[in-house]
Amino acid sequence: MLTRLAAVAAILAAISGPAAAQDVVRLGNLKFAHYGAISYMKEIAAKYNLKIDEKQFAKGADIYPAMAVDQIDIAASGADGAVAARGNGVKLLVVAGFANGGVRILGRPDLGAKSLADVKGKKVAVVRGGTQDLMLLAELEKNGLTWSERPGKDVQLVYFNNYADLNQALAQKYVDVICQSEPQSTQAISNGWGYEIVKPYDTPVGVPYRPLVMTEKMYTEKPEVAARVLKLFVEATKTFIEKPDLAEKYVREQVFKGQLSSKDFRDSMENADYTYDMPAGHMQVTADLMHKYGLGKMVNPPKGDAEWVKLDLLEQAKTELGAKTN
């Protein structure tokens, strides 16, 4: 009798007992202070019957080849990386914005430049294929400077593959100026390796917004899962916005494993914000400038946000969770 009851209980449990197996969502992310809420999603994913399998990449451009071969479902990166991927045939959609700001242009301590116009004749370094790349070129143009990777223009560009190397190049005076992300730029300042010349937010790009992107496959073939992903994203971001002490603790201890001081975290977040939103037209301005500067080597540059910026699930999630535009 007990065996029969146990069998019945097992059947009932399978039908209506514990929730079905969690849907696994593969996330591509970067290690920056203002990307912390994206990492935090995995900590509360079970609430939405999801499991976030996070993989960190060195820079945004590295994520999209993995997305192209169906190894990544959602990704956080700079707008330029998403534009380049879309322009080269990766079937992705922008479904939210998750952070803004986070860029500084720094000079070595003895440079004496008070504006970017003063760096004529100098070596300027940046990571290729990141938001900082586009922001730097837009700021150089605004200041009337020409550039090339070879000598002969107003500034000589030097490209690096990761952000830590930028700081070391500035500290060792291998280059004169860097365009850097957060918290690396704040760390460079606090260590005495450089000083801020400008936050490059006075160009047509404005303050840069980072998009959360999703494959078209997930958006169209798994709409219920996609909707839960956006609710998870909104809750994680809302938590970081409303509980800055929790955000600091998580980023410093879990993302940076104790290698980021409280002061550096707070200083870096003075130059960045967690957000949900993607301003209308921001992705297209980014795409137009990238095409102008020859960034991304796009086969078919995106034309218009309507076909690939889909914020319906975001707005639904914000409404359900009471999240306000920030």
Side-chain angles (χ1 to χ4, degrees), residues 33-229:
H34 44 302
Y35 286 58
I38 299 296
S39 290
Y40 187 68
M41 288 169 63
K42 65 180 178 288
E43 309 298 339
I44 59 172
K47 179 176 179 179
Y48 294 94
N49 204 28
L50 297 168
K51 180 180 179 181
I52 300 297
D53 180 11
E54 181 185 29
K55 181 178 180 181
Q56 287 193 341
F57 291 78
K59 56 184 185 293
D62 296 341
I63 297 176
Y64 295 105
M67 183 171 271
V69 295
D70 197 28
Q71 294 178 352
I72 295 291
D73 302 304
I74 61 174
S77 80
D80 57 303
V83 167
R86 178 79 185 188
N88 286 309
V90 181
K91 295 183 177 180
L92 59 84
L93 303 172
V94 172
V95 294
F98 68 87
N100 61 44
V103 183
R104 294 185 212 247
I105 297 178
L106 309 179
R108 55 182 172 78
D110 59 339
L111 184 64
K114 295 181 180 180
S115 73
L116 208 61
D118 297 332
V119 307
K120 186 174 182 179
K122 306 299 183 181
K123 288 184 178 180
V124 181
V126 69
V127 170
R128 189 187 301 275
T131 294
Q132 295 73 22
D133 194 358
L134 175 63
M135 301 297 289
L136 172 62
L137 299 189
E139 192 69 24
L140 289 173
E141 182 181 42
K142 179 180 181 297
N143 283 273
L145 298 176
T146 59
W147 61 86
S148 173
E149 292 181 61
R150 297 181 179 181
K153 299 294 185 179
D154 291 336
V155 301
Q156 182 179 353
L157 296 181
V158 181
Y159 283 100
F160 286 83
N161 289 322
N162 66 68
Y163 297 89
D165 288 347
L166 282 180
N167 280 3
Q168 291 304 308
L170 191 65
Q172 295 168 10
K173 300 184 180 180
Y174 176 73
V175 299
D176 305 295
V177 175
I178 63 173
C179 189
Q180 181 64 292
S181 188
E182 295 291 1
Q184 289 84 356
S185 68
T186 292
Q187 290 173 318
I189 294 170
S190 65
N191 282 295
W193 300 331
Y195 71 99
E196 179 183 307
I197 297 175
V198 66
K199 295 182 181 73
Y201 304 153
D202 55 352
T203 74
V205 180
V207 176
Y209 277 71
R210 274 69 169 189
L212 179 67
V213 303
M214 176 180 290
T215 63
E216 288 188 9
K217 180 178 180 181
M218 172 167 281
Y219 183 85
T220 58
E221 297 181 13
K222 298 180 179 180
E224 192 272 334
V225 175
R228 279 188 279 134
V229 169

Side-chain angles (χ1 to χ4, degrees), residues 4 25 83 96 106 159 190 241 283 295:
R4 180 179 175 83
V25 177
V83 167
L106 309 179
Y159 283 100
S190 65
I241 292 171
M283 297 303 298
L295 299 178

